Amino acid sequence: MPPRILPPSKAITSILRCKRSVRFQRQYATAAAVTPAVSHDQMTKGSPPIVRYPSTQPPSYKPPEFRKSQLLRQYASLIRSTPLMLLFQHNNLKSTEWVGIRRELTNALRKVDEARVAAGHPPTENIGDAIKIQIIQTGILQSALKIVDFYKPELEAQQLDPTGPATPSSTLIPSSSPDGSIATHVLSEAAHTATKRRSHPLDPLLSGPLALLTFPQVSPQHLKAALSILSPVPGQFPAPTRRANPGWHDMAVQTGLQKLLLLGARVEGKVFDVEGTKWVGSIEGGLEGLQGQLVAMLQGIGAGLTTTLDSSAKSLYFTVEGRRTMLEDKEKGTSGEKAEGPKV
Amino acid sequence: MITRFITEVSTVFNPFSPKAKTARLFLSFLPPDARQTMKVSTKLLPRISKDPSFVQLKFRDGKEMKLDTEKLGIKGVMEEVDRHSRILSRQEELTGN
């Protein structure tokens, strides 16, 4: 008996054909002899290959639901977005001590921001709110540093031959394959194998419990304020006085600060020790001051260069002039004598 | 690590030397309230320095111990400290606190 349901449309038929068994296929074969027409776009341009993973979760070397995978992503993003990063060792600080230290740090950085606004900089440039001190998992930070500093997949040449049979499509494919075997994100297997055996210059510092103080920009003024609070040096980074900042002399803050130890810093990819960090903090005038000094030096170089090039020509001129004047004087002297001679 | 018999700790290390790990770990093993009962001083050597790192301790009975952290690992350091601390705790028990 023929089925009571109406035969489906041609488009749905072609989809159902693959799922139906052979018996049903024969019944619908005549009804669905024509495949559905593709769109004009599909006919004129090649379609990207079928991806076998969701675009929001590409294949990851370790399971992405682990905390360490997400921490790796967070730390990679942190390293890329903070050119200035200070490393501290924290030795069993209590939560009350952390609260106190963060409070003092926020207050000091807010004061720096207010001073900058008062000096005329626009308030949108304030970075005091974005500076934070956080405890990090040392091993995962080590992996993240290696991936950020050593794995640069966009520099590797694309090795797809457009006429080769292995190429899934001639469209411009980003540097990843449809089954994810050459994905290049932070969690990918490619990133892991590329950086597994590398050693990073910051490696000796990365042992034990670590905390990071991160700055979104290299700002010597903010660094100076932070160092005055966290690891003061009498003279260079003076600690706040009891009258100016009684909160800093709190018991909790003081005991906490005794357990914090500044180890070094990573500034724009380079590793600095404690002395280097202090040097960066003592740069006067911040980034604008540095840029002004650079401009003045460049202008000075131009002027100095022209003076140097001119100097030999000028000295030659002066020498010749001097000689000429001397000769003229001599001539005048001799002609004067001659003129006087006959008279006598 | 038994730390209640230690009165003074002084460490010297170069943080960029891989051999400094032991000294740093020793500092991290001190309990949070330890600094109220003992004096802890840390000296960081400059990056290029090749001086050896060490940990110097003073105990409640006056004994001074200087441990070369480059040869002993953290386990060795803890063993030495615990050995003397256990002796002191035994004495404490016997004298009835």
Side-chain angles (χ1 to χ4, degrees):
Chain A
M1 231 177 99
R4 213 178 298 157
I5 51 172
L6 296 168
S9 72
K10 289 175 192 167
I12 301 176
T13 313
S14 65
I15 298 167
L16 288 177
R17 205 188 309 146
C18 355
K19 292 198 179 158
R20 293 280 179 176
S21 60
V22 180
R23 186 160 54 102
F24 284 102
Q25 224 170 4
R26 246 184 257 148
Q27 276 182 317
Y28 290 114
T30 48
V34 180
T35 53
V38 291
S39 62
H40 178 71
D41 248 344
Q42 270 185 297
M43 273 199 274
T44 49
K45 301 191 190 69
S47 58
I50 301 167
V51 284
R52 301 187 199 285
Y53 57 84
S55 57
T56 47
Q57 189 161 295
S60 155
Y61 181 63
K62 289 270 162 79
E65 62 266 15
F66 282 3
R67 181 167 180 249
K68 63 181 171 184
S69 307
Q70 297 310 316
L71 280 183
L72 184 64
R73 291 177 68 204
Q74 277 178 31
Y75 293 167
S77 147
L78 184 72
I79 295 164
R80 286 184 179 127
S81 60
T82 54
L84 175 59
M85 171 192 298
L86 264 64
L87 280 90
F88 287 88
Q89 176 169 341
H90 67 98
N91 299 314
N92 300 316
L93 271 92
K94 295 189 180 169
S95 60
T96 51
E97 293 164 357
W98 275 120
V99 161
I101 288 172
R102 286 200 170 107
R103 179 194 72 219
E104 291 307 314
L105 195 62
T106 330
N107 286 342
L109 293 168
R110 197 177 296 153
K111 285 204 190 99
V112 173
D113 276 344
E114 282 164 9
R116 275 176 63 92
V117 170
H121 296 104
T124 46
E125 282 179 9
N126 283 348
I127 61 168
D129 292 334
I131 297 171
K132 44 181 206 158
I133 182 162
Q134 61 186 98
I135 296 176
I136 46 114
Q137 303 298 315
T138 317
I140 301 175
L141 182 76
Q142 198 169 21
S143 310
L145 273 169
K146 285 183 199 170
I147 290 175
V148 168
D149 281 342
F150 297 144
Y151 183 60
K152 305 237 188 316
E154 54 271 8
L155 299 179
E156 292 163 15
Q158 290 259 8
Q159 271 145 22
L160 284 179
D161 176 22
T163 55
T167 310
S169 164
S170 59
T171 51
L172 288 169
I173 312 166
S175 59
S176 57
S177 67
D179 58 358
S181 56
I182 44 168
T184 57
H185 54 287
V186 169
L187 293 180
S188 63
E189 186 165 355
H192 173 87
T193 47
T195 55
K196 201 162 51 173
R197 294 189 203 288
R198 302 286 301 262
S199 66
H200 193 274
L202 207 53
D203 272 351
L205 292 185
L206 299 176
S207 70
L210 279 193
L212 288 186
L213 176 64
T214 49
F215 296 70
Q217 275 174 35
V218 182
S219 161
Q221 294 139 330
H222 290 92
L223 180 57
K224 181 169 179 176
L227 284 177
S228 308
I229 298 285
L230 294 175
S231 68
V233 173
Q236 212 178 6
F237 304 108
T241 59
R242 211 171 268 273
R243 196 172 295 180
N245 193 347
W248 189 80
H249 294 268
D250 252 356
M251 196 63 196
V253 175
Q254 285 300 308
T255 49
L257 289 177
Q258 284 172 10
K259 300 185 216 172
L260 271 184
L261 181 66
L262 176 63
L263 296 170
R266 175 183 184 266
V267 186
E268 285 171 357
K270 293 191 217 20
V271 176
F272 282 64
D273 62 350
V274 178
E275 287 299 321
T277 320
K278 288 184 191 158
W279 174 78
V280 175
S282 62
I283 294 173
E284 289 296 329
L287 271 182
E288 292 91 3
L290 272 181
Q291 286 163 356
Q293 280 179 24
L294 183 66
V295 165
M297 199 167 66
L298 287 172
Q299 286 176 343
I301 285 177
L305 189 65
T306 46
T307 324
T308 319
L309 289 173
D310 280 342
S311 66
S312 58
K314 272 192 192 152
S315 63
L316 182 67
Y317 168 72
F318 285 130
T319 318
V320 167
E321 272 298 305
R323 183 73 183 141
R324 187 157 67 91
T325 352
M326 211 170 67
L327 285 172
E328 273 174 4
D329 285 341
K330 248 196 197 169
E331 267 185 42
K332 276 191 197 150
T334 46
S335 61
E337 280 174 22
K338 272 194 196 159
E340 285 181 18
K343 280 187 191 166
V344 171
Chain B
M1 192 166 77
I2 311 169
T3 52
R4 57 182 202 272
F5 300 105
I6 303 173
T7 53
E8 215 176 295
V9 176
S10 137
T11 46
V12 171
F13 59 90
N14 171 6
F16 283 88
S17 151
K19 303 194 191 99
K21 186 168 171 175
T22 308
R24 286 177 57 190
L25 286 179
F26 182 79
L27 285 175
S28 73
F29 281 126
L30 299 173
D33 285 328
R35 305 215 175 196
Q36 292 166 3
T37 50
M38 63 172 91
K39 213 166 65 146
V40 181
S41 70
T42 314
K43 181 161 173 300
L44 290 181
L45 298 169
R47 193 171 176 177
I48 37 175
S49 143
K50 299 251 186 292
D51 294 340
S53 60
F54 62 86
V55 165
Q56 200 160 9
L57 302 163
K58 224 184 251 181
F59 285 88
R60 207 188 280 178
D61 60 343
K63 163 146 182 168
E64 288 199 22
M65 207 186 264
K66 181 168 171 179
L67 299 163
D68 178 12
T69 47
E70 298 202 355
K71 290 221 186 64
L72 299 166
I74 185 65
K75 268 194 170 164
V77 169
M78 280 172 62
E79 211 184 284
E80 294 292 317
V81 172
D82 279 349
R83 186 182 299 154
H84 195 75
S85 301
R86 260 180 264 126
I87 297 171
L88 290 179
S89 83
R90 224 37 54 73
Q91 285 173 3
E92 212 181 56
E93 273 178 38
L94 291 174
T95 58
N97 290 28

